[in-house]
Amino acid sequence: MGVTKEQVESSLTSKLKPSHLEVIDTSGGCGASFAIEIVSEQFQGKRLLERHRVVNAALEDEMKQIHALSIKKAQTPEQWKQQQDAENPKPNA
Amino acid sequence: FRCFASALTPQLKNTLDKVVTSNKVVLFMKGTKDFPQCGFSNTVVQILNSLNVPFETINILENELLRQALKEYSSWPTFPQLYIEGEFFGGCDITVEAYKNGQLQEQLEKAMCS
């Protein structure tokens, strides 16, 4: 039994209370493989390595069965907002 | 019989301390730098090659005990694992990110000049 996208989502949701979460199943038939984008208050004041550790820890049980995990984004709500604004600039009033 | 004891014995920890400091840049990966056996490992090898730094690779597929022990040693569940000057730097995503924003080059320059 592998891990489903839903399981990964529910573990991350309950443990990290993300304001944005995207889990993409990237397994190409070789087993459970996921890419994750996550925005959470809990990343505040943490370096990228520590943020990834937080995500890995939240998925401790799932990691035993996950073949590959790619954390594409681990941002604070503030960083996320800044990036969204940069990507979708509002026309100057 | 299943053994749940820690793979990271004091002796193995001692050995790993020596291995990660044996070179300024050490990459634990699936396969070798000449023949990576996983896309993530390959990505990190290509980045290190492009930055022209000498680095040592260790194939964790050849030693299951080492593989398990390393996960505990670095508190990191996946491979590749990059070490710079004896310190865990990160896995593939962190290395790619740091490469893009220049922090990896900075860190490696510092390591090479120290």
Side-chain angles (χ1 to χ4, degrees):
Chain A
M1 264 300 282
V3 179
T4 64
K5 178 173 174 284
E6 288 70 27
Q7 271 172 279
V8 173
E9 282 170 347
S10 93
S11 283
L12 289 174
T13 302
S14 67
K15 288 174 189 156
L16 301 182
K17 312 267 180 290
S19 58
H20 167 83
L21 174 66
E22 192 170 351
V23 177
I24 304 147
D25 189 336
T26 52
S27 66
C30 62
S33 162
F34 301 95
I36 293 172
E37 277 189 24
I38 182 165
V39 178
S40 168
E41 295 277 2
Q42 294 190 31
F43 295 142
Q44 198 70 50
K46 292 192 173 70
R47 290 183 302 134
L48 188 58
L49 177 65
E50 298 169 88
R51 292 177 187 191
H52 282 215
R53 282 200 203 280
V54 168
V55 175
N56 288 331
L59 293 175
E60 199 192 349
D61 292 334
E62 290 84 359
M63 283 309 284
K64 289 171 193 145
Q65 295 179 63
I66 289 177
H67 170 78
L69 180 71
S70 180
I71 304 169
K72 295 287 178 206
K73 258 188 204 133
Q75 297 180 323
T76 60
E78 212 169 291
Q79 290 174 320
W80 172 250
K81 193 181 170 297
Q82 276 173 7
Q83 196 192 317
Q84 294 295 97
D85 289 349
E87 280 172 12
N88 308 299
K90 290 184 191 81
N92 288 327
Chain B
F1 174 76
R2 287 185 75 188
C3 182
F4 290 100
S6 164
L8 190 62
T9 60
Q11 293 93 321
L12 199 43
K13 186 181 176 300
N14 209 316
T15 306
L16 286 173
D17 284 340
K18 287 189 187 122
V19 172
V20 299
T21 49
S22 64
N23 278 271
K24 293 200 169 169
V25 184
V26 180
L27 180 67
F28 296 94
M29 60 177 285
K30 295 184 178 177
T32 63
K33 66 169 111 176
D34 298 318
F35 187 50
Q37 286 177 261
C38 157
F40 295 95
S41 288
N42 184 42
T43 300
V44 177
V45 167
Q46 296 310 322
I47 285 175
L48 293 174
N49 277 338
S50 79
L51 293 174
N52 233 340
V53 289
F55 63 102
E56 182 73 34
T57 60
I58 290 155
N59 184 1
I60 52 96
L61 293 177
E62 281 177 353
N63 189 331
E64 185 57 28
L65 185 65
L66 173 72
R67 181 179 183 166
Q68 294 312 326
L70 260 171
K71 291 184 189 180
E72 288 178 51
Y73 185 76
S74 29
S75 317
W76 195 258
T78 53
F79 291 93
Q81 295 186 1
L82 180 64
Y83 276 81
I84 300 174
E85 284 193 292
E87 210 177 304
F88 181 59
F89 184 79
C92 181
D93 293 329
I94 285 176
T95 306
V96 169
E97 189 69 32
Y99 176 61
K100 283 191 198 151
N101 65 26
Q103 280 170 8
L104 180 64
Q105 292 89 319
E106 210 174 285
Q107 188 102 11
L108 288 170
E109 259 168 48
K110 222 170 62 188
M112 291 307 146
C113 297
S114 68

